[in-house]
Amino acid sequence: LYNVSGELIGTVGVTVDISERKKFEEALQESEERFRSMMQQAPFVIEHYNIDGLQIEVNLAYEELWGFPGSQTVNKFNVLESKEVEETGLLSFVQRAYAGETVKVPPYEFNPQGNTEAKGLGRTRWLSTRIYPLRNKDGEVNNIVITHEDISDAKAAEHERKKLELQVQQAQKMESIGNLAGGIAHDFNNILTAIFGYVQLAKMTAEKPEKQKDAIVGISQAAERAKNLVKQILTFSRQTRQEKQHLSISMIGKEVANLLRHTVPTTIEIKYLEESKDTIFADATQIHQVLMNLCTNAYQAMRMTGGILDIKIADQNLDHPKVMNGIIIPPGKYVTISVGDTGAGMDAETIKKIYEPYFTTKEVGEGTGLGLAVVHGIVTDHNGFIVASSATNLGTTFKVYFPTTEKEKDTVIENDLQPSVLTGDQHILFVDDEKPMLDLAQRIFSRYGYTITACVDPTEALKLFLAAPYSYDILVTDMTMPKLTGIELIREILAVRPGMPVLLCTGYSDSINAQDAESQGVTTFIEKPYRLTALLKIIKNTLNRIEQ
């Protein structure tokens, strides 16, 4: 203290208790350290950016994911100016976060080999990314946080699971075909017996054209039955990738019922009732498999005793939730499949286990127990429900509910086989390794005015073509041949003469379909067996389109 003259006359001391403030500062520092430790130890990547898009902080997982230290990008990498962020499609999500929105980015594949700053370990990853805005006390966004989780292993596991599911489904398809093999052989033998009989009758009536004509009609009808049976078997057994579309179960039901009538013993009566007009969004082959599996199980339950196999397809509208055997089916419109048998039935304990993989009530060697597990998986994948009701000695009924979809508008498709006039004067290069096919084609095509060069050897056909590429108007070739496949022959020919009309025929091939053939330059893809007059219509129509 000083007096008025400025002389020191004393001192005053003031003490302030700051214990609470110290505790608060220590608690704040401890909280910050705890938060920073949590951030650094988090198993997923955390990246902190300021208002200008500059990266200001990252955690330890950042280095593990990208393969370089955070110091390489902190205070250097700008998320708003990065080509990497723009090329991966993340920029719009980042901008939404700066606008105040919490964003979840759909899983995406990131390849650091492209035009990118983050080359890291140089391996492709699947990432799950979220972006969060951080606000100041006034509620304004002044920072964002981006998190990345590497889900590559989960994606690989999912891919492997789907692959195994497809293998299991295919194995089960083959099991079903095996179970019906006796019936298939029986029907084919009947068809062949009819053909042999009509051939013999045709020989016997060679001097009586009218009676011989009847025999030829009988041969044609028997061959048509064989063709339809093969088509149905291939539709069911063929391994195809899932392709969902709007479809009517009724058409599939008719195919399955027809196949069963060919293969199931006559001791089992098949009743088929169809009362459905609605459509579902589904994979046709898998719905075919659901029906076949349920019907095969029903047939096997009655194969020793006979009985009734009852198939119903109907529309059902549920106004309220329906509870059946502990399964709750929500209100809505459904297309239902009901498959019932009059076999031995199952008790309550067995019903609880029927969808478990490898559970079976069959004898050893009679089945893998995959059937109902596969059915359950397909139904669930289509957002449907399956309910089993059964009692010992009273048979079993399975009912499947598939949610309906809006029916697509019918598309008017022009029929390419309309032209009634089959004659022509063009030159056809016809290639098939089956000599009887060539002999028939030469006889029939020449009757309609065409010039035909027929080759059993595709390499010989290629030599003839290369000698005079513009002397032929159209190529008709089989797919599976020795020395050169149909596609290989087509590639060689189109390399010399692009745009030449090409028809590719195949009896069965798991290596090519209509879409693949079109991408190879094929004008028309044809499945065997076919009538040569139908092939003539296709050739005529194809040549007319080219000329136009």
Side-chain angles (χ1 to χ4, degrees):
L1 292 177
Y2 297 89
N3 61 17
V4 294
S5 302
E7 297 173 339
L8 179 65
I9 58 172
T11 61
V12 175
V14 179
T15 302
V16 179
D17 187 351
I18 61 170
S19 302
E20 291 301 317
R21 190 176 75 188
K22 273 291 184 182
K23 288 180 181 178
F24 178 77
E25 289 176 351
E26 289 172 357
L28 181 61
Q29 183 178 357
E30 184 179 340
S31 176
E32 287 180 352
E33 289 175 354
R34 184 165 58 249
F35 170 77
R36 191 170 302 281
S37 176
M38 289 172 59
M39 174 183 169
Q40 290 298 324
Q41 299 302 322
F44 50 85
V45 173
I46 300 176
E47 303 172 7
H48 187 187
Y49 295 86
N50 67 13
I51 189 65
D52 298 318
L54 186 67
Q55 187 184 85
I56 57 177
E57 190 174 14
V58 297
N59 67 344
L60 294 175
Y62 182 86
E63 180 174 343
E64 293 178 13
L65 179 66
W66 303 122
F68 53 77
S71 58
Q72 190 169 322
T73 55
V74 170
N75 294 321
K76 299 172 187 175
F77 176 76
N78 192 302
V79 72
L80 294 174
E81 299 172 357
S82 168
K83 290 181 180 178
E84 165 190 87
V85 173
E86 183 178 357
E87 288 180 359
T88 53
L90 291 177
L91 183 58
S92 62
F93 295 103
V94 171
Q95 291 169 338
R96 284 164 56 185
Y98 273 111
E101 183 182 348
T102 297
V103 183
K104 181 180 179 181
V105 182
Y108 59 98
E109 193 172 19
F110 176 71
N111 182 358
Q113 297 293 339
N115 184 5
T116 169
E117 296 92 338
K119 297 207 181 289
L121 299 176
R123 61 185 178 87
T124 300
R125 307 164 179 80
W126 276 92
L127 299 177
S128 175
T129 297
R130 292 175 183 262
I131 311 175
Y132 307 88
L134 299 181
R135 303 177 186 273
N136 60 21
K137 62 180 181 178
D138 298 322
E140 299 169 337
V141 176
N142 61 353
N143 286 258
I144 67 166
V145 170
I146 301 178
T147 67
H148 299 293
E149 184 178 1
D150 189 345
I151 58 171
S152 304
D153 291 342
K155 275 288 181 180
E158 181 184 358
H159 175 74
E160 187 64 24
R161 178 182 61 80
K162 288 182 178 179
K163 181 179 175 183
L164 289 173
E165 282 180 357
L166 185 61
Q167 291 173 349
V168 168
Q169 288 182 15
Q170 191 65 15
Q172 203 282 325
K173 285 182 185 182
M174 293 298 99
E175 180 184 321
S176 295
I177 289 292
N179 290 331
L180 298 174
I184 293 169
H186 174 266
D187 200 63
F188 261 118
N189 284 333
N190 284 343
I191 291 170
L192 291 172
T193 300
I195 291 174
F196 288 141
Y198 282 122
V199 168
Q200 189 173 4
L201 181 60
K203 290 179 179 178
M204 292 168 61
T205 56
E207 304 301 324
K208 301 175 181 178
E210 284 303 316
K211 290 187 177 181
Q212 189 179 57
K213 182 179 178 182
D214 292 339
I216 292 171
V217 169
I219 293 170
S220 178
Q221 290 174 342
E224 192 70 27
R225 283 182 63 201
K227 170 189 171 183
N228 291 334
L229 184 56
V230 170
K231 183 178 178 182
Q232 289 167 351
I233 294 168
L234 286 179
T235 298
F236 176 60
S237 65
R238 187 173 284 147
Q239 183 169 344
T240 58
R241 56 180 177 271
Q242 192 181 58
E243 294 179 359
K244 291 184 179 179
Q245 57 185 316
H246 297 275
L247 58 87
S248 168
I249 295 182
S250 299
M251 297 299 295
I252 300 172
K254 288 176 183 176
E255 286 184 8
V256 171
N258 287 334
L259 179 58
L260 290 170
R261 287 191 177 101
H262 286 304
T263 55
V264 170
T266 54
T267 54
I268 296 174
E269 180 186 355
I270 297 175
K271 292 184 177 181
Y272 177 71
L273 179 63
E274 173 200 316
E275 299 177 330
S276 174
K277 295 181 180 178
D278 289 335
T279 59
I280 66 172
F281 189 66
D283 176 75
T285 303
Q286 290 194 328
I287 300 303
H288 198 291
Q289 186 173 0
V290 166
L291 258 169
M292 277 294 295
N293 287 0
L294 294 177
C295 291
T296 301
N297 276 354
Y299 145 67
Q300 289 185 324
M302 301 181 289
R303 62 181 176 177
M304 302 301 294
T305 59
I308 299 173
L309 173 54
D310 196 4
I311 308 168
K312 293 178 184 176
I313 298 174
D315 299 328
Q316 188 166 350
N317 190 5
L318 299 182
D319 296 324
H320 304 286
K322 187 172 186 176
V323 181
M324 300 175 67
N325 293 347
I327 298 172
I328 302 174
I329 304 173
K333 295 180 69 177
Y334 296 90
V335 178
T336 63
I337 298 172
S338 176
V339 177
D341 65 66
T342 56
M346 298 178 286
D347 57 31
E349 285 302 312
T350 302
I351 288 179
K352 290 178 183 178
K353 301 176 182 178
I354 55 177
Y355 302 122
E356 295 176 7
Y358 306 109
F359 174 78
T360 179
T361 58
K362 301 169 188 174
E363 298 294 329
V364 175
E366 292 189 356
T368 60
L370 294 173
L372 289 175
V374 169
V375 167
H376 189 271
I378 292 173
V379 172
T380 302
D381 184 59
H382 286 77
N383 299 315
F385 304 88
I386 181 168
V387 181
S389 57
S390 183
T392 305
N393 298 322
L394 293 177
T396 302
T397 298
F398 284 90
K399 192 165 184 178
V400 182
Y401 294 77
F402 287 111
T404 64
T405 57
E406 289 297 322
K407 193 170 185 177
E408 292 185 323
K409 292 182 180 179
D410 293 333
T411 304
V412 178
I413 301 174
E414 292 186 12
N415 190 343
D416 285 345
L417 302 183
Q418 281 298 320
S420 57
V421 180
L422 302 182
T423 57
D425 58 2
Q426 290 89 347
H427 192 170
I428 302 170
L429 178 57
F430 197 99
V431 190
D432 197 305
D433 62 333
E434 291 289 335
K435 196 169 186 308
M437 279 296 303
L438 299 181
D439 293 340
L440 283 170
Q442 281 181 311
R443 289 185 182 187
I444 293 176
F445 288 11
S446 59
R447 290 185 62 182
Y448 286 90
Y450 290 95
T451 301
I452 179 168
T453 298
C455 296
V456 72
D457 184 344
T459 58
E460 180 63 26
L462 182 59
K463 288 178 184 178
L464 292 173
F465 173 81
L466 294 176
Y470 289 90
S471 64
Y472 303 99
D473 297 293
I474 190 168
L475 167 68
V476 180
T477 179
D478 190 27
M479 174 61 191
T480 306
M481 299 180 293
K483 300 180 182 178
L484 275 180
T485 67
I487 282 294
E488 290 170 339
L489 176 61
I490 289 167
R491 286 198 195 113
E492 296 286 346
I493 285 177
L494 292 181
V496 175
R497 187 179 158 189
M500 180 178 177
V502 173
L503 272 62
L504 178 64
C505 310
T506 180
Y508 170 74
S509 175
D510 56 5
S511 61
I512 193 165
N513 55 33
Q515 291 75 22
D516 296 334
E518 184 179 354
S519 68
Q520 298 285 340
V522 173
T523 312
T524 307
F525 183 78
I526 307 165
E527 290 190 352
K528 291 181 178 179
Y530 52 73
R531 298 178 186 273
L532 284 172
T533 51
L535 181 60
L536 268 173
K537 289 180 181 179
I538 295 173
I539 290 171
K540 181 74 174 179
N541 203 44
T542 301
L543 290 170
N544 286 344
R545 287 203 311 268
I546 298 298
E547 289 173 2
Q548 291 171 1

